[in-house]
Amino acid sequence: MNFAFSEEQTMMADVVRDALLRECGSAALRSRIGAVCSFDQDRWRKLLALGVAGVLVREEAGGLGLGGPDFVQIAEACGYACLPEPLVDHAGVVLPLLSACEGTAAGEALARGLEDGAFLALAHPQTPWVVAANAAQAVVLPGPDGLRLVPGADTVRVQQPGIDPLRQLFTVSAPPEAGVRIAGPQASRTLLARAAERGAVFTAAELVGLAQASVDLAVAYAKERHQFGRPIGANQAIKHHLASAQVKIAFARPVVHAAAALVPPEPGAPPEDMEARARISHALLAAGEAAELATRTALQVHGAMGYSWEVDVHLYLKRALSLTGRWGGPEYHRQRVAERVLSAPLGPDRLFPQPVRETDTTPMKRTA
Amino acid sequence: MDLRYTDDQLAFRAEVREWMAANVPDEPLPSFDGTRAGFEAHREWEARLNAGRWGMVTWPEAYGGRGLDLIRWLIFEEEYYAAGAPQRVNQNGIFLLGPTLIDYGTQAQKARFLPPMANGEEIWAQAWSEPQAGSDLAAVRAKAVRDGDSYLLSGHKIWSSRAVMADWAFGLFRTDPASERHKGLSLILFPLDAEGVRRQAIAQINGETGFAELFLDEVRVPVENRVGAEGEGWRICMATAGFERGLMLRSPARFQMTARRLVELYEANRETCGPAQRDAVAQAWMAAEAYALSVYATASRLIAGGGIGAEASLNKIFWSEMDIAMHETALAILGARAELLPTAPAAGDVGRWLDGYLFSLAGPIYAGTNDIQRNIIAERLLGLPRA
Ligand SMILES: Cc1cc2nc3c(=O)[nH]c(=O)nc-3n(C[C@H](O)[C@H](O)[C@H](O)COP(=O)(O)OP(=O)(O)OC[C@H]3O[C@@H](n4cnc5c(N)ncnc54)[C@H](O)[C@@H]3O)c2cc1C
């Protein structure tokens, strides 16, 4: 039992964090607001050059064959930077899905995603708005006959203007015979279910990252901004708001990390049991609450400045709103938690669902 | 990161479970804050635990412990609470002073104080707060005047938990009369039955005398009862407070068991509960799990050589607020019965939720109020300027 990241895991995330500092600072973010295409190909290529796309893809398919704990801090860093490009979906959800598909078309697309930095998107039923579909080389589209991989140019993309000024949203469809079928109806259900679990975990990580970024922004501002002859951050009301937000973050993060540990490299055993599903839902709920409190606190601490486009607070607030609605939304996840709480054994020995071993003790009896 | 218990850890869990099953009293013990009999029953339980070498599993073997790491301590605590074992009457000793002595005490102090602490022979109280020194602990006025090889302790301590019946106390005293604030304070151990100590029980919110006022009038103790150097008391006490807020005082299993009882309460009252209660119950479970996960992460970090500083304040706020929320949920589920005392014929088993609720209300106050913890987080973790 060791609930800490390895040095390699932290180092890999540090490399991504440094690159994001260089490529995705405030000025870079602002320069893309209102752009025809919010997706910055140049930044995308630089980030993918770090080798992050293949973290969750098995080695035979050209990836690193690692698991959720190797990617979760990277996703957190993307959230912290408010990265417009959906790197987290691409590497955390779509490429692992392709790596679990049969056939050459999926394999080729995967190779393009890994080697050429091609951006690949997924129109998942739980995330109806596909981020940056206009920049996607191909889109995975679920349909009645399973999953199809359709070249971007052959899809119909309808922009759905959304609140996040850094991310363009689209509904994507295609004629029934467009592209290539990469999974039948049966396989497609499993693949989409696993994709949703990964999506929820890594979105939770992005939310934790952006929550921390919002607190950090507000702390910096509270030290700088003076009223009544002293920094506003010397006032207890400001301190206590920020401390409360930090508490929320501190107790969402370990849940997200524990949920990430349930994500195997594809194709791996999917977290299908109720306890794993509840942990993942818990992660998304806790991270969503932390992000909501942190972004609203950052707005309050910045005063009217926070209500303007002069500072980045609004970018985080809007991203938080956008992310919390994805992968089913809070009510769906609360249901999944309630289902587990009300029907599976409870107790401190159930914190980490364990594979059954010979020495394993029986789960605790529920007493009335 | 590896979230599987090793075979050794699982075997350890089984060992604790077996011992608890054979030893935990069938009936809950009477409160240790109510009667002398209740207090002594808890003392006996401590002796029994210690006879099984379960008194404090993280302590070195030389002092009755097992020298186990924090992960095993967590496993021990999980089984302890799952078995419904009694509250630890000596928690001020084993969780606060014990680790402090292990870090800062002399060999002689460890040998003298740890074994009787581990087996409950000497139950400890913490004597820090004073009428004028609550949140502002550095305003302590009680003094320790050097007289040859002794100190003479005088002053007025208050809110000292268990002190009504405890045997010893560890107190914060001003050893340098000219000093101010955090300087010139020392941590000194004194027996509560010494000449010059007068104890005055104070009724708590539930009517029991859970804490006491201590009036000290030239209480003579040997200089060897001072922990750490003279004038180092503040630094040492802050380390103690770190144990208190951070890890030891509130192990996660306690709250995981409360969450489990809450789910059982919900299930037993399902017909009268709505979606609001369902959500609150699920929320309680999530909070307890989040706390447990966070403590496992901290334990892993500490085992790898990390430390715990102001982060302890995050924990203290989280568990205390969670505890209140859980008990409020229970009371909401109980509806009209919530206000009944256990003695009411119509109460059934509801009384302990009410008791628990009242006790949970103290959480944001003791061990440093949550307002003070928020100051600490803001200033020391986030780096905001002092007022
Ligand atoms: C059940 C219980 C058990 C206890 N056991 C012990 C024990 O065993 N030993 C012991 O020594 N003490 C014990 N205490 C005392 C406890 O440590 C103090 O109550 C606590 O430190 C607060 O001090 P106070 O009660 O004097 O409140 P005060 O310091 O008077 O505070 C009153 C209110 O003002 C707020 N406040 C004060 N200063 C500030 C500030 N700077 N910023 C913002 N808000 C502020 C506080 O948060 C609080 O809400 C216990 C208390 C309780 C309730």
Side-chain angles (χ1 to χ4, degrees):
Chain A
M1 171 64 59
N2 177 17
F3 194 12
F5 291 101
S6 70
E7 246 170 70
E8 294 78 39
Q9 286 166 340
T10 300
M11 252 162 48
M12 192 152 63
D14 283 345
V15 169
V16 175
R17 209 170 285 127
D18 288 347
L20 285 165
L21 272 180
R22 282 194 308 275
E23 307 299 333
C24 195
S26 183
L29 285 181
R30 283 142 178 276
S31 72
R32 301 299 296 187
I33 296 179
V36 178
C37 176
S38 60
F39 190 101
D40 183 335
Q41 290 288 356
D42 184 42
R43 178 166 53 217
W44 179 254
R45 266 191 296 277
K46 284 182 181 152
L47 290 174
L48 288 211
L50 303 174
V52 290
V55 173
L56 292 161
V57 173
R58 64 184 198 278
E59 284 175 270
E60 308 86 85
L64 300 177
L66 301 172
D70 300 280
F71 190 66
V72 69
Q73 294 189 101
I74 295 172
E76 197 173 322
C78 293
Y80 192 95
C82 208
L83 177 68
E85 292 74 37
L87 175 64
V88 172
D89 292 353
H90 178 76
V93 182
V94 186
L95 296 192
L97 178 141
L98 285 173
S99 76
C101 290
E102 306 283 327
T104 49
E108 280 165 20
L110 178 62
R112 285 200 307 278
L114 288 172
E115 285 149 33
D116 310 341
F119 165 52
L120 303 163
L122 164 68
H124 196 284
Q126 284 189 332
T127 56
W129 328 128
V130 180
V131 176
N134 54 345
Q137 206 190 69
V139 183
V140 178
L141 281 175
D145 66 338
L147 296 181
R148 299 191 81 82
L149 182 72
V150 184
D154 298 347
T155 60
V156 181
R157 292 170 276 203
V158 179
Q159 191 170 353
Q160 307 287 343
I163 193 167
D164 185 341
L166 296 175
R167 284 189 161 179
Q168 287 161 338
L169 306 177
F170 298 84
T171 40
V172 183
S173 56
E177 296 305 311
V180 192
R181 196 168 92 141
I182 55 169
Q186 187 85 29
S188 120
R189 264 192 298 279
T190 315
L191 289 169
L192 287 175
R194 287 194 224 174
E197 303 299 345
R198 284 195 304 273
V201 171
F202 299 131
T203 298
E206 276 192 277
L207 284 162
V208 165
L210 75 83
Q212 190 63 62
S214 303
V215 167
D216 291 356
L217 269 180
V219 165
Y221 187 72
K223 288 188 204 172
E224 216 172 77
R225 167 78 172 161
H226 281 61
Q227 286 292 280
F228 301 100
R230 59 178 190 169
I232 56 167
N235 294 298
Q236 219 168 42
I238 297 282
K239 286 180 181 172
H240 286 197
H241 282 314
L242 288 166
S244 297
Q246 193 61 46
V247 170
K248 274 260 192 237
I249 294 170
F251 289 89
R253 197 178 264 134
V255 183
V256 176
H257 294 168
L262 297 168
V263 174
E266 279 284 3
E272 257 165 12
D273 63 289
M274 191 187 279
E275 289 181 79
R277 280 205 307 267
R279 175 68 73 237
I280 290 170
S281 288
H282 179 189
L284 192 54
L285 287 168
E289 280 174 27
E292 192 201 350
L293 183 64
T295 52
R296 282 205 353 251
T297 300
L299 174 57
Q300 186 67 18
V301 168
H302 279 79
M305 190 62 98
Y307 198 70
S308 77
W309 285 36
E310 297 293 308
V311 293
D312 295 340
V313 174
H314 73 116
L315 297 176
Y316 286 100
L317 189 123
K318 291 166 181 171
R319 179 67 53 81
L321 182 86
S322 164
L323 291 181
T324 40
R326 306 182 80 203
W327 305 113
E331 181 50 28
Y332 167 77
H333 290 286
R334 258 195 291 274
Q335 298 260 13
R336 295 207 323 173
V337 171
E339 184 190 318
R340 183 253 174 277
V341 169
L342 298 176
S343 52
L346 298 171
D349 65 342
R350 310 294 298 189
L351 182 65
F352 301 103
Q354 298 290 309
V356 182
R357 297 166 188 244
E358 258 164 53
T359 45
D360 217 356
T361 49
T362 45
M364 271 174 231
K365 254 196 352 267
R366 312 258 316 254
T367 48
Chain B
M1 185 179 293
D2 182 358
L3 302 189
R4 286 165 309 173
Y5 294 107
T6 62
D7 286 339
D8 281 356
Q9 287 166 338
L10 290 173
F12 176 71
R13 183 187 289 286
E15 187 189 349
V16 184
R17 187 171 293 188
E18 197 180 319
W19 193 90
M20 291 295 158
N23 288 276
V24 170
D26 295 335
E27 288 295 311
L29 303 181
S31 160
F32 51 55
D33 286 334
T35 58
R36 176 53 83 172
F39 192 84
E40 294 306 325
H42 281 83
R43 190 199 293 278
E44 277 164 34
W45 166 248
E46 291 295 319
R48 188 154 168 186
L49 265 180
N50 190 58
R53 278 203 312 127
W54 299 114
M56 205 43 206
V57 295
T58 52
W59 287 7
E61 295 192 25
Y63 306 121
R66 292 176 179 238
L68 298 184
D69 67 20
L70 287 170
I71 298 292
R72 279 177 210 236
W73 173 70
L74 285 166
I75 294 171
F76 170 79
E77 291 281 303
E78 288 168 5
E79 294 302 319
Y80 188 90
Y81 280 101
Q87 295 288 322
R88 308 297 299 268
V89 66
N90 208 9
Q91 61 179 5
N92 289 309
I94 55 179
F95 297 147
L96 303 185
L97 181 60
T100 309
L101 284 176
I102 288 169
D103 284 0
Y104 299 95
T106 61
Q107 278 311 321
Q109 285 172 331
K110 290 183 220 186
R112 161 65 188 83
F113 291 111
L114 291 175
M117 185 187 292
N119 73 9
E121 239 170 275
E122 291 175 352
I123 309 269
W124 287 81
Q126 177 189 23
W128 291 6
S129 304
E130 296 179 8
Q132 301 310 320
S135 297
D136 187 11
L137 189 59
V140 155
R141 279 193 239 166
K143 57 186 181 182
V145 179
R146 187 71 180 253
D147 181 39
D149 290 341
S150 309
Y151 284 117
L152 295 175
L153 310 178
S154 298
H156 182 181
K157 296 288 181 182
I158 196 167
W159 317 129
S160 185
S161 298
R162 307 297 92 70
V164 179
M165 289 176 263
D167 308 291
W168 277 77
F170 54 104
L172 193 55
F173 294 92
R174 203 161 284 286
T175 32
D176 175 0
S179 69
E180 278 181 26
R181 309 290 304 157
H182 314 82
K183 302 198 184 78
L185 296 170
S186 298
L187 181 62
I188 299 176
L189 316 177
F190 61 99
L192 284 164
D193 59 0
E195 200 175 319
V197 178
R198 187 164 67 80
R199 323 184 202 190
Q200 178 78 52
I202 305 174
Q204 288 186 333
I205 204 165
N206 66 356
E208 291 191 340
T209 49
F211 42 37
E213 236 169 324
L214 299 172
F215 300 92
L216 309 178
D217 183 16
E218 303 207 325
V219 178
R220 184 176 290 275
V221 296
V223 170
E224 297 84 71
N225 284 16
R226 190 192 63 231
V227 181
E230 202 169 80
E232 283 293 293
W234 182 263
R235 198 173 58 83
I236 296 170
C237 286
M238 288 308 105
T240 309
F243 298 126
E244 184 173 15
R245 289 166 200 151
L247 221 50
M248 291 275 162
L249 182 64
R250 291 291 173 254
S251 81
R254 175 189 179 119
F255 302 108
Q256 289 170 292
M257 288 308 292
T258 306
R260 184 166 120 176
R261 286 201 294 121
L262 193 55
V263 172
E264 287 158 6
L265 183 73
Y266 170 84
E267 282 175 339
N269 293 276
R270 218 159 176 166
E271 314 82 77
T272 51
C273 286
Q277 274 88 32
R278 186 210 67 172
D279 275 358
V281 166
Q283 187 62 44
W285 175 80
M286 284 191 277
E289 295 269 300
Y291 182 60
L293 289 170
S294 162
V295 173
Y296 265 92
T298 306
S300 299
R301 200 162 47 75
L302 292 176
I303 288 170
I308 183 166
E311 301 88 6
S313 298
L314 297 165
N315 282 12
K316 206 260 153 169
I317 290 174
F318 190 82
W319 63 248
S320 58
E321 292 184 349
M322 157 173 72
D323 201 24
I324 292 181
M326 286 194 200
H327 284 89
E328 280 176 344
T329 302
L331 298 191
I333 292 173
L334 289 169
R337 279 178 299 154
E339 64 170 313
L340 295 183
L341 294 179
T343 46
D349 192 30
V350 302
R352 59 183 180 156
W353 285 110
L354 193 57
D355 254 1
Y357 169 68
L358 287 178
F359 184 63
S360 76
L361 295 180
I365 301 173
Y366 62 79
T369 74
N370 285 11
D371 307 299
I372 298 298
Q373 304 313 315
R374 285 189 164 85
N375 291 348
I376 293 173
I377 292 167
E379 288 165 13
R380 297 200 213 138
L381 275 185
L382 302 179
L384 288 166
R386 289 168 179 277

